[in-house]
Amino acid sequence: METIDIQELFTRLTLDVFLNIAFGIDLQVITNPEKYRAFTEALDEIQSLCHERFNDLFYHIKQRFNLTRREKRIKECAKIIDDFTYEIIDRAQQRRRDDNQPRGENDKISGNNGIVDEDQDVIKGKKSSQRFDLLSSYIHTANKDDENLSKKELRDSIMTFIFAGRDNTARALTWVLYDLTKHPTVTNKVIEEIESKCGVPGDANSDFSFETVVNNLPYLHAVIMESQRLHPTVPENFRMAVKDDTLPDGTKILAKSCVMYSAYTMNHSELYWGDDADEFNPDRFMDRLEPSPYLFPIFNAGYRLCPGKPLALTEIKVTLARLLPSYEFVDAKNHTGKCRWTITMAMDGGFHVAVRRRENKAGSRT
């Protein structure tokens, strides 16, 4: 039976969705992966290479003088990523300049390499001021506050958005699917909930609206939370103190000290989660308040709470609600759950699954 790497497919999906929502760009990466493979591979590789620096006491010297293969490759990957992000910036700025100009169906904005084409779904003659994207809004807000943003600052913001919108969501989707392949009883319960609340996919009376999927599937939500507890997409976080500080327990933190916390360790602690802390049990998230983000920091906490949390959960729920009732996913290589630990926690070697259609309640294939 033919297999696919669902982690790679989810990564393309989330990049497509996020660029469309955040920047108004429809690149169709999911159907045209080769065109953007250089960018996506550079994004994956640079995370792994940068993570290696944490174990290298002399990386500052190596970085400054470009001494090693790693540092040279980081610069090469950064150039590929920069070309792509500067394309997005050029387009957003061009939109602002043409704010009151109607656009024809053949209009195109090209940047450094002609990578980013105008949206395919732009209504002919519709003014760009009627379209919203996150980057244009960001530039507009900065201009209102008399802030002059450099291209480098805009590039840094875009990469923050893309890392969060592509990698974290794709990793979370992959780990959820992995857990479901290991727990068929849980999978069946999720499908029963989806069909009872949303209906059967393809049925005229089915309701897979955002409101229904996001708000009316508590067991699916619990499954996602439990999967994220066991496999947090950002397993550890580092912060550098800009000045002397004191933690709530009295611990003194000196300026320029690096402080790290491990969401992975916290999420597996028997002190917080009980004797079954290492077991997959979605019921621990049912019929109770969600744990404090300071105890369960998968989306960070406080002023650092991830602003993309609602979008990420919506994307995960909608994707799973449409896929699970229609398709059965089988772990084709009996993956052990080994992870590739970089800035985000991916499944090592990808997640190869065999896919076959399910039969719906009426007995026909969906």
PDB file of all heavy atoms in Angstrom, residues 8-43:
ATOM      1  N   GLU A   8       5.336  15.900   6.661  1.00  0.00           N
ATOM      2  CA  GLU A   8       5.746  16.806   5.579  1.00  0.00           C
ATOM      3  C   GLU A   8       4.526  17.443   4.927  1.00  0.00           C
ATOM      4  O   GLU A   8       4.535  18.636   4.591  1.00  0.00           O
ATOM      5  CB  GLU A   8       6.570  16.012   4.562  1.00  0.00           C
ATOM      6  CG  GLU A   8       7.351  16.870   3.576  1.00  0.00           C
ATOM      7  CD  GLU A   8       6.544  17.204   2.322  1.00  0.00           C
ATOM      8  OE1 GLU A   8       5.594  16.464   2.016  1.00  0.00           O
ATOM      9  OE2 GLU A   8       6.879  18.214   1.671  1.00  0.00           O
ATOM     10  N   LEU A   9       3.449  16.667   4.767  1.00  0.00           N
ATOM     11  CA  LEU A   9       2.232  17.194   4.159  1.00  0.00           C
ATOM     12  C   LEU A   9       1.579  18.234   5.055  1.00  0.00           C
ATOM     13  O   LEU A   9       1.123  19.288   4.576  1.00  0.00           O
ATOM     14  CB  LEU A   9       1.258  16.043   3.888  1.00  0.00           C
ATOM     15  CG  LEU A   9       0.089  16.333   2.939  1.00  0.00           C
ATOM     16  CD1 LEU A   9       0.593  16.724   1.562  1.00  0.00           C
ATOM     17  CD2 LEU A   9      -0.821  15.115   2.846  1.00  0.00           C
ATOM     18  N   PHE A  10       1.530  17.970   6.345  1.00  0.00           N
ATOM     19  CA  PHE A  10       0.970  18.945   7.290  1.00  0.00           C
ATOM     20  C   PHE A  10       1.796  20.228   7.305  1.00  0.00           C
ATOM     21  O   PHE A  10       1.250  21.326   7.467  1.00  0.00           O
ATOM     22  CB  PHE A  10       0.906  18.358   8.696  1.00  0.00           C
ATOM     23  CG  PHE A  10      -0.272  17.447   8.943  1.00  0.00           C
ATOM     24  CD1 PHE A  10      -0.189  16.442   9.901  1.00  0.00           C
ATOM     25  CD2 PHE A  10      -1.458  17.589   8.234  1.00  0.00           C
ATOM     26  CE1 PHE A  10      -1.274  15.604  10.140  1.00  0.00           C
ATOM     27  CE2 PHE A  10      -2.543  16.747   8.459  1.00  0.00           C
ATOM     28  CZ  PHE A  10      -2.451  15.753   9.419  1.00  0.00           C
ATOM     29  N   THR A  11       3.114  20.104   7.146  1.00  0.00           N
ATOM     30  CA  THR A  11       3.971  21.286   7.127  1.00  0.00           C
ATOM     31  C   THR A  11       3.649  22.162   5.922  1.00  0.00           C
ATOM     32  O   THR A  11       3.610  23.395   6.020  1.00  0.00           O
ATOM     33  CB  THR A  11       5.458  20.877   7.103  1.00  0.00           C
ATOM     34  OG1 THR A  11       5.750  20.097   8.263  1.00  0.00           O
ATOM     35  CG2 THR A  11       6.367  22.095   7.104  1.00  0.00           C
ATOM     36  N   ARG A  12       3.408  21.530   4.774  1.00  0.00           N
ATOM     37  CA  ARG A  12       3.015  22.304   3.591  1.00  0.00           C
ATOM     38  C   ARG A  12       1.638  22.941   3.785  1.00  0.00           C
ATOM     39  O   ARG A  12       1.410  24.088   3.404  1.00  0.00           O
ATOM     40  CB  ARG A  12       2.996  21.398   2.361  1.00  0.00           C
ATOM     41  CG  ARG A  12       4.367  21.090   1.796  1.00  0.00           C
ATOM     42  CD  ARG A  12       4.256  20.400   0.458  1.00  0.00           C
ATOM     43  NE  ARG A  12       4.240  18.954   0.572  1.00  0.00           N
ATOM     44  CZ  ARG A  12       3.569  18.157  -0.249  1.00  0.00           C
ATOM     45  NH1 ARG A  12       2.811  18.671  -1.204  1.00  0.00           N
ATOM     46  NH2 ARG A  12       3.624  16.845  -0.103  1.00  0.00           N
ATOM     47  N   LEU A  13       0.718  22.174   4.380  1.00  0.00           N
ATOM     48  CA  LEU A  13      -0.638  22.684   4.607  1.00  0.00           C
ATOM     49  C   LEU A  13      -0.618  23.912   5.500  1.00  0.00           C
ATOM     50  O   LEU A  13      -1.231  24.946   5.179  1.00  0.00           O
ATOM     51  CB  LEU A  13      -1.498  21.594   5.240  1.00  0.00           C
ATOM     52  CG  LEU A  13      -2.878  22.036   5.767  1.00  0.00           C
ATOM     53  CD1 LEU A  13      -3.784  22.452   4.623  1.00  0.00           C
ATOM     54  CD2 LEU A  13      -3.522  20.924   6.599  1.00  0.00           C
ATOM     55  N   THR A  14       0.074  23.827   6.641  1.00  0.00           N
ATOM     56  CA  THR A  14       0.056  24.942   7.578  1.00  0.00           C
ATOM     57  C   THR A  14       0.768  26.174   7.026  1.00  0.00           C
ATOM     58  O   THR A  14       0.387  27.306   7.333  1.00  0.00           O
ATOM     59  CB  THR A  14       0.688  24.525   8.920  1.00  0.00           C
ATOM     60  OG1 THR A  14       2.002  23.986   8.696  1.00  0.00           O
ATOM     61  CG2 THR A  14      -0.162  23.484   9.625  1.00  0.00           C
ATOM     62  N   LEU A  15       1.803  25.967   6.207  1.00  0.00           N
ATOM     63  CA  LEU A  15       2.456  27.115   5.571  1.00  0.00           C
ATOM     64  C   LEU A  15       1.491  27.794   4.614  1.00  0.00           C
ATOM     65  O   LEU A  15       1.365  29.027   4.602  1.00  0.00           O
ATOM     66  CB  LEU A  15       3.717  26.670   4.824  1.00  0.00           C
ATOM     67  CG  LEU A  15       4.499  27.786   4.111  1.00  0.00           C
ATOM     68  CD1 LEU A  15       4.976  28.834   5.101  1.00  0.00           C
ATOM     69  CD2 LEU A  15       5.686  27.210   3.339  1.00  0.00           C
ATOM     70  N   ASP A  16       0.785  27.012   3.817  1.00  0.00           N
ATOM     71  CA  ASP A  16      -0.213  27.564   2.899  1.00  0.00           C
ATOM     72  C   ASP A  16      -1.284  28.348   3.640  1.00  0.00           C
ATOM     73  O   ASP A  16      -1.605  29.489   3.293  1.00  0.00           O
ATOM     74  CB  ASP A  16      -0.886  26.427   2.118  1.00  0.00           C
ATOM     75  CG  ASP A  16      -0.420  26.353   0.672  1.00  0.00           C
ATOM     76  OD1 ASP A  16       0.237  27.308   0.213  1.00  0.00           O
ATOM     77  OD2 ASP A  16      -0.704  25.350   0.005  1.00  0.00           O
ATOM     78  N   VAL A  17      -1.858  27.722   4.668  1.00  0.00           N
ATOM     79  CA  VAL A  17      -2.959  28.346   5.406  1.00  0.00           C
ATOM     80  C   VAL A  17      -2.493  29.627   6.074  1.00  0.00           C
ATOM     81  O   VAL A  17      -3.163  30.665   5.989  1.00  0.00           O
ATOM     82  CB  VAL A  17      -3.532  27.367   6.459  1.00  0.00           C
ATOM     83  CG1 VAL A  17      -4.492  28.088   7.400  1.00  0.00           C
ATOM     84  CG2 VAL A  17      -4.236  26.203   5.782  1.00  0.00           C
ATOM     85  N   PHE A  18      -1.336  29.572   6.725  1.00  0.00           N
ATOM     86  CA  PHE A  18      -0.893  30.745   7.468  1.00  0.00           C
ATOM     87  C   PHE A  18      -0.532  31.901   6.541  1.00  0.00           C
ATOM     88  O   PHE A  18      -0.879  33.054   6.826  1.00  0.00           O
ATOM     89  CB  PHE A  18       0.292  30.401   8.363  1.00  0.00           C
ATOM     90  CG  PHE A  18       0.634  31.520   9.304  1.00  0.00           C
ATOM     91  CD1 PHE A  18      -0.154  31.770  10.419  1.00  0.00           C
ATOM     92  CD2 PHE A  18       1.715  32.348   9.069  1.00  0.00           C
ATOM     93  CE1 PHE A  18       0.132  32.822  11.282  1.00  0.00           C
ATOM     94  CE2 PHE A  18       2.011  33.395   9.911  1.00  0.00           C
ATOM     95  CZ  PHE A  18       1.219  33.628  11.030  1.00  0.00           C
ATOM     96  N   LEU A  19       0.160  31.632   5.445  1.00  0.00           N
ATOM     97  CA  LEU A  19       0.506  32.714   4.524  1.00  0.00           C
ATOM     98  C   LEU A  19      -0.738  33.343   3.923  1.00  0.00           C
ATOM     99  O   LEU A  19      -0.790  34.553   3.684  1.00  0.00           O
ATOM    100  CB  LEU A  19       1.417  32.188   3.415  1.00  0.00           C
ATOM    101  CG  LEU A  19       2.857  31.849   3.828  1.00  0.00           C
ATOM    102  CD1 LEU A  19       3.620  31.289   2.642  1.00  0.00           C
ATOM    103  CD2 LEU A  19       3.564  33.065   4.402  1.00  0.00           C
ATOM    104  N   ASN A  20      -1.767  32.528   3.696  1.00  0.00           N
ATOM    105  CA  ASN A  20      -3.019  33.051   3.147  1.00  0.00           C
ATOM    106  C   ASN A  20      -3.726  33.934   4.153  1.00  0.00           C
ATOM    107  O   ASN A  20      -4.185  35.039   3.834  1.00  0.00           O
ATOM    108  CB  ASN A  20      -3.926  31.887   2.729  1.00  0.00           C
ATOM    109  CG  ASN A  20      -4.933  32.292   1.676  1.00  0.00           C
ATOM    110  OD1 ASN A  20      -5.512  33.355   1.769  1.00  0.00           O
ATOM    111  ND2 ASN A  20      -5.138  31.435   0.681  1.00  0.00           N
ATOM    112  N   ILE A  21      -3.815  33.466   5.394  1.00  0.00           N
ATOM    113  CA  ILE A  21      -4.517  34.223   6.428  1.00  0.00           C
ATOM    114  C   ILE A  21      -3.733  35.464   6.839  1.00  0.00           C
ATOM    115  O   ILE A  21      -4.285  36.568   6.944  1.00  0.00           O
ATOM    116  CB  ILE A  21      -4.776  33.340   7.663  1.00  0.00           C
ATOM    117  CG1 ILE A  21      -5.788  32.247   7.326  1.00  0.00           C
ATOM    118  CG2 ILE A  21      -5.274  34.172   8.846  1.00  0.00           C
ATOM    119  CD1 ILE A  21      -5.987  31.239   8.436  1.00  0.00           C
ATOM    120  N   ALA A  22      -2.445  35.294   7.086  1.00  0.00           N
ATOM    121  CA  ALA A  22      -1.649  36.372   7.659  1.00  0.00           C
ATOM    122  C   ALA A  22      -1.193  37.403   6.641  1.00  0.00           C
ATOM    123  O   ALA A  22      -1.111  38.592   6.951  1.00  0.00           O
ATOM    124  CB  ALA A  22      -0.428  35.788   8.378  1.00  0.00           C
ATOM    125  N   PHE A  23      -0.885  36.968   5.414  1.00  0.00           N
ATOM    126  CA  PHE A  23      -0.290  37.871   4.444  1.00  0.00           C
ATOM    127  C   PHE A  23      -1.065  37.974   3.130  1.00  0.00           C
ATOM    128  O   PHE A  23      -0.622  38.645   2.207  1.00  0.00           O
ATOM    129  CB  PHE A  23       1.157  37.434   4.155  1.00  0.00           C
ATOM    130  CG  PHE A  23       1.987  37.253   5.381  1.00  0.00           C
ATOM    131  CD1 PHE A  23       2.618  36.049   5.640  1.00  0.00           C
ATOM    132  CD2 PHE A  23       2.121  38.272   6.299  1.00  0.00           C
ATOM    133  CE1 PHE A  23       3.376  35.866   6.780  1.00  0.00           C
ATOM    134  CE2 PHE A  23       2.885  38.107   7.450  1.00  0.00           C
ATOM    135  CZ  PHE A  23       3.503  36.900   7.695  1.00  0.00           C
ATOM    136  N   GLY A  24      -2.193  37.275   3.034  1.00  0.00           N
ATOM    137  CA  GLY A  24      -3.002  37.368   1.828  1.00  0.00           C
ATOM    138  C   GLY A  24      -2.362  36.710   0.621  1.00  0.00           C
ATOM    139  O   GLY A  24      -2.641  37.086  -0.516  1.00  0.00           O
ATOM    140  N   ILE A  25      -1.504  35.725   0.838  1.00  0.00           N
ATOM    141  CA  ILE A  25      -0.760  35.094  -0.249  1.00  0.00           C
ATOM    142  C   ILE A  25      -1.211  33.650  -0.411  1.00  0.00           C
ATOM    143  O   ILE A  25      -1.272  32.904   0.558  1.00  0.00           O
ATOM    144  CB  ILE A  25       0.752  35.118   0.032  1.00  0.00           C
ATOM    145  CG1 ILE A  25       1.241  36.564   0.145  1.00  0.00           C
ATOM    146  CG2 ILE A  25       1.529  34.374  -1.034  1.00  0.00           C
ATOM    147  CD1 ILE A  25       2.656  36.672   0.651  1.00  0.00           C
ATOM    148  N   ASP A  26      -1.531  33.254  -1.633  1.00  0.00           N
ATOM    149  CA  ASP A  26      -1.926  31.878  -1.912  1.00  0.00           C
ATOM    150  C   ASP A  26      -0.845  31.222  -2.761  1.00  0.00           C
ATOM    151  O   ASP A  26      -0.873  31.277  -3.982  1.00  0.00           O
ATOM    152  CB  ASP A  26      -3.273  31.859  -2.641  1.00  0.00           C
ATOM    153  CG  ASP A  26      -3.790  30.440  -2.842  1.00  0.00           C
ATOM    154  OD1 ASP A  26      -3.202  29.518  -2.253  1.00  0.00           O
ATOM    155  OD2 ASP A  26      -4.774  30.269  -3.582  1.00  0.00           O
ATOM    156  N   LEU A  27       0.132  30.597  -2.095  1.00  0.00           N
ATOM    157  CA  LEU A  27       1.252  30.004  -2.816  1.00  0.00           C
ATOM    158  C   LEU A  27       0.974  28.589  -3.297  1.00  0.00           C
ATOM    159  O   LEU A  27       1.701  28.066  -4.124  1.00  0.00           O
ATOM    160  CB  LEU A  27       2.502  29.982  -1.920  1.00  0.00           C
ATOM    161  CG  LEU A  27       3.069  31.333  -1.491  1.00  0.00           C
ATOM    162  CD1 LEU A  27       4.373  31.125  -0.733  1.00  0.00           C
ATOM    163  CD2 LEU A  27       3.307  32.232  -2.683  1.00  0.00           C
ATOM    164  N   GLN A  28      -0.043  27.935  -2.734  1.00  0.00           N
ATOM    165  CA  GLN A  28      -0.383  26.559  -3.094  1.00  0.00           C
ATOM    166  C   GLN A  28       0.821  25.631  -2.919  1.00  0.00           C
ATOM    167  O   GLN A  28       1.133  24.805  -3.776  1.00  0.00           O
ATOM    168  CB  GLN A  28      -0.927  26.505  -4.521  1.00  0.00           C
ATOM    169  CG  GLN A  28      -2.205  27.318  -4.706  1.00  0.00           C
ATOM    170  CD  GLN A  28      -2.826  27.162  -6.084  1.00  0.00           C
ATOM    171  OE1 GLN A  28      -2.278  26.488  -6.944  1.00  0.00           O
ATOM    172  NE2 GLN A  28      -3.966  27.779  -6.280  1.00  0.00           N
ATOM    173  N   VAL A  29       1.481  25.775  -1.779  1.00  0.00           N
ATOM    174  CA  VAL A  29       2.639  24.930  -1.478  1.00  0.00           C
ATOM    175  C   VAL A  29       2.231  23.466  -1.388  1.00  0.00           C
ATOM    176  O   VAL A  29       2.994  22.570  -1.768  1.00  0.00           O
ATOM    177  CB  VAL A  29       3.297  25.375  -0.151  1.00  0.00           C
ATOM    178  CG1 VAL A  29       4.511  24.506   0.175  1.00  0.00           C
ATOM    179  CG2 VAL A  29       3.708  26.843  -0.229  1.00  0.00           C
ATOM    180  N   ILE A  30       1.027  23.211  -0.919  1.00  0.00           N
ATOM    181  CA  ILE A  30       0.602  21.826  -0.711  1.00  0.00           C
ATOM    182  C   ILE A  30       0.486  21.063  -2.026  1.00  0.00           C
ATOM    183  O   ILE A  30       0.686  19.852  -2.079  1.00  0.00           O
ATOM    184  CB  ILE A  30      -0.731  21.769   0.070  1.00  0.00           C
ATOM    185  CG1 ILE A  30      -0.959  20.360   0.633  1.00  0.00           C
ATOM    186  CG2 ILE A  30      -1.905  22.218  -0.781  1.00  0.00           C
ATOM    187  CD1 ILE A  30      -2.033  20.272   1.672  1.00  0.00           C
ATOM    188  N   THR A  31       0.190  21.767  -3.113  1.00  0.00           N
ATOM    189  CA  THR A  31       0.085  21.106  -4.414  1.00  0.00           C
ATOM    190  C   THR A  31       1.293  21.360  -5.306  1.00  0.00           C
ATOM    191  O   THR A  31       1.430  20.744  -6.354  1.00  0.00           O
ATOM    192  CB  THR A  31      -1.187  21.580  -5.152  1.00  0.00           C
ATOM    193  OG1 THR A  31      -1.163  23.009  -5.268  1.00  0.00           O
ATOM    194  CG2 THR A  31      -2.443  21.154  -4.402  1.00  0.00           C
ATOM    195  N   ASN A  32       2.161  22.271  -4.893  1.00  0.00           N
ATOM    196  CA  ASN A  32       3.321  22.616  -5.714  1.00  0.00           C
ATOM    197  C   ASN A  32       4.566  22.707  -4.833  1.00  0.00           C
ATOM    198  O   ASN A  32       5.201  23.760  -4.719  1.00  0.00           O
ATOM    199  CB  ASN A  32       3.074  23.956  -6.428  1.00  0.00           C
ATOM    200  CG  ASN A  32       4.133  24.244  -7.481  1.00  0.00           C
ATOM    201  OD1 ASN A  32       4.881  23.364  -7.886  1.00  0.00           O
ATOM    202  ND2 ASN A  32       4.206  25.494  -7.904  1.00  0.00           N
ATOM    203  N   PRO A  33       4.933  21.601  -4.156  1.00  0.00           N
ATOM    204  CA  PRO A  33       6.013  21.665  -3.167  1.00  0.00           C
ATOM    205  C   PRO A  33       7.386  21.970  -3.742  1.00  0.00           C
ATOM    206  O   PRO A  33       8.218  22.586  -3.079  1.00  0.00           O
ATOM    207  CB  PRO A  33       5.985  20.268  -2.527  1.00  0.00           C
ATOM    208  CG  PRO A  33       5.391  19.377  -3.572  1.00  0.00           C
ATOM    209  CD  PRO A  33       4.379  20.233  -4.286  1.00  0.00           C
ATOM    210  N   GLU A  34       7.645  21.545  -4.975  1.00  0.00           N
ATOM    211  CA  GLU A  34       8.986  21.703  -5.536  1.00  0.00           C
ATOM    212  C   GLU A  34       9.365  23.170  -5.704  1.00  0.00           C
ATOM    213  O   GLU A  34      10.525  23.549  -5.541  1.00  0.00           O
ATOM    214  CB  GLU A  34       9.084  20.976  -6.875  1.00  0.00           C
ATOM    215  CG  GLU A  34       9.000  19.468  -6.758  1.00  0.00           C
ATOM    216  CD  GLU A  34      10.062  18.881  -5.847  1.00  0.00           C
ATOM    217  OE1 GLU A  34      11.208  19.395  -5.863  1.00  0.00           O
ATOM    218  OE2 GLU A  34       9.747  17.936  -5.109  1.00  0.00           O
ATOM    219  N   LYS A  35       8.388  24.013  -6.011  1.00  0.00           N
ATOM    220  CA  LYS A  35       8.666  25.423  -6.265  1.00  0.00           C
ATOM    221  C   LYS A  35       9.237  26.117  -5.036  1.00  0.00           C
ATOM    222  O   LYS A  35      10.039  27.038  -5.141  1.00  0.00           O
ATOM    223  CB  LYS A  35       7.393  26.126  -6.729  1.00  0.00           C
ATOM    224  CG  LYS A  35       7.603  27.575  -7.162  1.00  0.00           C
ATOM    225  CD  LYS A  35       6.331  28.173  -7.726  1.00  0.00           C
ATOM    226  CE  LYS A  35       6.540  29.602  -8.185  1.00  0.00           C
ATOM    227  NZ  LYS A  35       5.295  30.219  -8.696  1.00  0.00           N
ATOM    228  N   TYR A  36       8.819  25.662  -3.848  1.00  0.00           N
ATOM    229  CA  TYR A  36       9.237  26.322  -2.615  1.00  0.00           C
ATOM    230  C   TYR A  36      10.065  25.403  -1.724  1.00  0.00           C
ATOM    231  O   TYR A  36      10.259  25.689  -0.551  1.00  0.00           O
ATOM    232  CB  TYR A  36       8.000  26.827  -1.857  1.00  0.00           C
ATOM    233  CG  TYR A  36       7.112  27.669  -2.736  1.00  0.00           C
ATOM    234  CD1 TYR A  36       5.945  27.145  -3.286  1.00  0.00           C
ATOM    235  CD2 TYR A  36       7.476  28.976  -3.052  1.00  0.00           C
ATOM    236  CE1 TYR A  36       5.154  27.911  -4.127  1.00  0.00           C
ATOM    237  CE2 TYR A  36       6.689  29.744  -3.886  1.00  0.00           C
ATOM    238  CZ  TYR A  36       5.529  29.212  -4.427  1.00  0.00           C
ATOM    239  OH  TYR A  36       4.751  29.976  -5.258  1.00  0.00           O
ATOM    240  N   ARG A  37      10.541  24.305  -2.294  1.00  0.00           N
ATOM    241  CA  ARG A  37      11.281  23.342  -1.478  1.00  0.00           C
ATOM    242  C   ARG A  37      12.557  23.957  -0.889  1.00  0.00           C
ATOM    243  O   ARG A  37      12.929  23.653   0.249  1.00  0.00           O
ATOM    244  CB  ARG A  37      11.623  22.104  -2.299  1.00  0.00           C
ATOM    245  CG  ARG A  37      12.207  20.973  -1.453  1.00  0.00           C
ATOM    246  CD  ARG A  37      12.325  19.685  -2.222  1.00  0.00           C
ATOM    247  NE  ARG A  37      11.035  19.173  -2.664  1.00  0.00           N
ATOM    248  CZ  ARG A  37      10.209  18.484  -1.888  1.00  0.00           C
ATOM    249  NH1 ARG A  37      10.539  18.246  -0.626  1.00  0.00           N
ATOM    250  NH2 ARG A  37       9.068  18.035  -2.358  1.00  0.00           N
ATOM    251  N   ALA A  38      13.233  24.811  -1.644  1.00  0.00           N
ATOM    252  CA  ALA A  38      14.464  25.420  -1.138  1.00  0.00           C
ATOM    253  C   ALA A  38      14.190  26.213   0.132  1.00  0.00           C
ATOM    254  O   ALA A  38      14.951  26.144   1.111  1.00  0.00           O
ATOM    255  CB  ALA A  38      15.085  26.322  -2.202  1.00  0.00           C
ATOM    256  N   PHE A  39      13.077  26.962   0.142  1.00  0.00           N
ATOM    257  CA  PHE A  39      12.727  27.747   1.324  1.00  0.00           C
ATOM    258  C   PHE A  39      12.351  26.860   2.502  1.00  0.00           C
ATOM    259  O   PHE A  39      12.848  27.042   3.618  1.00  0.00           O
ATOM    260  CB  PHE A  39      11.565  28.694   1.006  1.00  0.00           C
ATOM    261  CG  PHE A  39      10.932  29.324   2.219  1.00  0.00           C
ATOM    262  CD1 PHE A  39      11.586  30.321   2.914  1.00  0.00           C
ATOM    263  CD2 PHE A  39       9.692  28.894   2.671  1.00  0.00           C
ATOM    264  CE1 PHE A  39      11.016  30.890   4.046  1.00  0.00           C
ATOM    265  CE2 PHE A  39       9.117  29.451   3.787  1.00  0.00           C
ATOM    266  CZ  PHE A  39       9.782  30.459   4.485  1.00  0.00           C
ATOM    267  N   THR A  40      11.489  25.880   2.273  1.00  0.00           N
ATOM    268  CA  THR A  40      11.023  25.038   3.373  1.00  0.00           C
ATOM    269  C   THR A  40      12.152  24.200   3.956  1.00  0.00           C
ATOM    270  O   THR A  40      12.244  24.020   5.176  1.00  0.00           O
ATOM    271  CB  THR A  40       9.869  24.132   2.920  1.00  0.00           C
ATOM    272  OG1 THR A  40      10.283  23.333   1.795  1.00  0.00           O
ATOM    273  CG2 THR A  40       8.662  24.956   2.504  1.00  0.00           C
ATOM    274  N   GLU A  41      13.039  23.691   3.091  1.00  0.00           N
ATOM    275  CA  GLU A  41      14.164  22.899   3.591  1.00  0.00           C
ATOM    276  C   GLU A  41      15.162  23.779   4.342  1.00  0.00           C
ATOM    277  O   GLU A  41      15.742  23.358   5.352  1.00  0.00           O
ATOM    278  CB  GLU A  41      14.844  22.171   2.441  1.00  0.00           C
ATOM    279  CG  GLU A  41      14.005  21.026   1.872  1.00  0.00           C
ATOM    280  CD  GLU A  41      14.716  20.255   0.776  1.00  0.00           C
ATOM    281  OE1 GLU A  41      15.780  20.745   0.302  1.00  0.00           O
ATOM    282  OE2 GLU A  41      14.229  19.177   0.386  1.00  0.00           O
ATOM    283  N   ALA A  42      15.373  25.011   3.858  1.00  0.00           N
ATOM    284  CA  ALA A  42      16.273  25.928   4.558  1.00  0.00           C
ATOM    285  C   ALA A  42      15.718  26.273   5.935  1.00  0.00           C
ATOM    286  O   ALA A  42      16.472  26.377   6.914  1.00  0.00           O
ATOM    287  CB  ALA A  42      16.476  27.200   3.735  1.00  0.00           C
ATOM    288  N   LEU A  43      14.406  26.420   6.032  1.00  0.00           N
ATOM    289  CA  LEU A  43      13.775  26.736   7.301  1.00  0.00           C
ATOM    290  C   LEU A  43      13.953  25.596   8.302  1.00  0.00           C
ATOM    291  O   LEU A  43      14.241  25.817   9.476  1.00  0.00           O
ATOM    292  CB  LEU A  43      12.285  27.007   7.068  1.00  0.00           C
ATOM    293  CG  LEU A  43      11.543  27.846   8.113  1.00  0.00           C
ATOM    294  CD1 LEU A  43      12.193  29.205   8.282  1.00  0.00           C
ATOM    295  CD2 LEU A  43      10.082  28.010   7.691  1.00  0.00           C
TER     296      LEU A  43
END
